[in-house]
Amino acid sequence: MNWIQKFVKFPAFPISVVLIISGLPSIVIAESPISLKLQRFHWQISQKFIPPNRKAPQTTTGGASRRGGSCFLQRKETSTPLMPGNKYGLTFAERPTFYWYVPETAVQTARFSLLDGEDIVYETNLKLPNQSGIIGFTLPKEAPSLKVGKQYRWYMGIPCGSDELAEEIAINGWVERIEPTPDLSKQIATTNPKQLSQVYATSGIWYEAVHTLVQQRLANPSDRTVMANWQALLESVGLEDLVSKPLVDICNKKTK
């Protein structure tokens, strides 16, 4: 039995509807922590995420498996995906970017898997940073592009030892690629870049909403509008504890 089967039961779920835009560029570089005490500016764009009107797949596992606390130097902390509470998100991208908060750990690698039902369609090892922070991973060109209208489950496992009985942190979620409507495509094409994350958030396109703001944070780390929007988006899905976490340099850094 492989390491995924030990922790995950795959329920049958109906294939949903549709989405796209070519894969967004990868990220992530180091950035200094930001104070949680961000002000609410009168020019702030509303970034409240509006969930899509569709049913998320049913899961039988939580956000972590086993005990896992010994993986992290601060035992009270745990790895958290940047996802809404139901761990389900839409994307337009053929190869989207996934984000997690990972506390400081001595573990050097994690295992990322993308699954279609019970079939693993892509799997790789990721190099973990030597500091706590938000990491991102973009599906590379060698990974199959997501099919429109299909729900995929992703899974990241952080082993806390070298043998099969070792503790392990297991984080999972869902992604579905759909196509934008003609009106939404036009709106995206004509929207000011600083307001683009709002369009994605209010349209229920989670992966692009997060990725757009991450890119803006990297390009303009001192921009108060960007940071206020980042705070508003995360708070709208209950991730207020992650607002001040730094972005760290590991995106697309795979191990052999």
Side-chain angles (χ1 to χ4, degrees):
M1 181 178 294
N2 64 34
W3 64 275
I4 294 175
Q5 292 172 329
K6 288 192 298 182
F7 301 108
V8 184
K9 296 181 181 178
F10 297 93
F13 51 84
I15 294 179
S16 285
V17 211
V18 212
L19 159 11
I20 120 181
I21 273 183
S22 61
L24 294 171
S26 60
I27 64 152
V28 167
I29 59 176
E31 183 177 287
S32 58
I34 301 148
S35 171
L36 275 171
K37 298 180 180 179
L38 293 172
Q39 298 180 18
R40 298 292 188 181
F41 303 98
H42 69 278
W43 34 260
Q44 178 187 338
I45 303 167
S46 172
Q47 295 291 315
K48 183 176 181 180
F49 179 70
I50 300 177
N53 185 24
R54 62 182 68 218
K55 188 176 181 180
Q58 297 297 309
T59 62
T60 57
T61 60
S65 65
R66 300 236 181 174
R67 297 177 297 282
S70 62
C71 278
F72 306 124
L73 300 184
Q74 298 294 327
R75 286 178 172 266
K76 63 181 180 180
E77 288 196 301
T78 189
S79 186
T80 305
L82 268 67
M83 294 290 293
N86 61 4
K87 307 291 179 64
Y88 170 75
L90 297 178
T91 183
F92 292 148
E94 294 181 0
R95 294 176 177 85
T97 302
F98 304 85
Y99 293 97
W100 306 269
Y101 168 69
V102 179
E104 187 176 3
T105 176
V107 180
Q108 297 182 338
T109 61
R111 190 73 174 168
F112 174 84
S113 301
L114 183 70
L115 303 106
D116 178 2
E118 295 188 18
D119 298 324
I120 299 174
V121 297
Y122 180 73
E123 191 169 51
T124 190
N125 287 324
L126 303 180
K127 182 180 179 181
L128 294 177
N130 56 11
Q131 67 180 93
S132 63
I134 293 171
I135 67 174
F137 175 70
T138 303
L139 286 178
K141 292 181 179 179
E142 61 264 28
S145 60
L146 302 187
K147 296 179 180 179
V148 170
K150 183 176 286 292
Q151 295 172 329
Y152 296 85
R153 191 171 196 179
W154 56 257
Y155 190 88
M156 186 173 78
I158 304 176
C160 300
S162 58
D163 60 81
E164 291 187 358
L165 298 178
E167 296 179 338
E168 182 175 68
I169 296 294
I171 309 146
N172 60 83
W174 297 90
V175 58
E176 180 183 354
R177 178 188 169 197
I178 66 170
E179 290 181 334
T181 64
D183 287 343
L184 182 54
S185 293
K186 182 178 179 180
Q187 185 179 7
I188 291 170
T190 58
T191 295
N192 183 304
K194 279 197 172 184
Q195 299 177 1
L196 195 55
S197 57
Q198 179 193 21
V199 174
Y200 290 129
T202 56
S203 301
I205 312 302
W206 176 258
Y207 285 91
E208 272 76 348
V210 174
H211 189 69
T212 299
L213 283 172
V214 167
Q215 293 288 351
Q216 291 176 357
R217 281 189 60 187
L218 295 174
N220 302 286
S222 299
D223 191 311
R224 294 184 299 174
T225 305
V226 171
M227 282 310 306
N229 291 340
W230 172 258
Q231 176 175 350
L233 178 68
L234 295 191
E235 286 182 348
S236 73
V237 294
L239 296 176
E240 54 275 357
D241 290 345
L242 303 186
V243 171
S244 68
K245 303 301 183 183
L247 308 178
V248 294
D249 183 11
I250 81 104
C251 189
N252 276 338
K253 287 189 176 178
K254 301 180 293 180
T255 62
K256 295 181 180 181

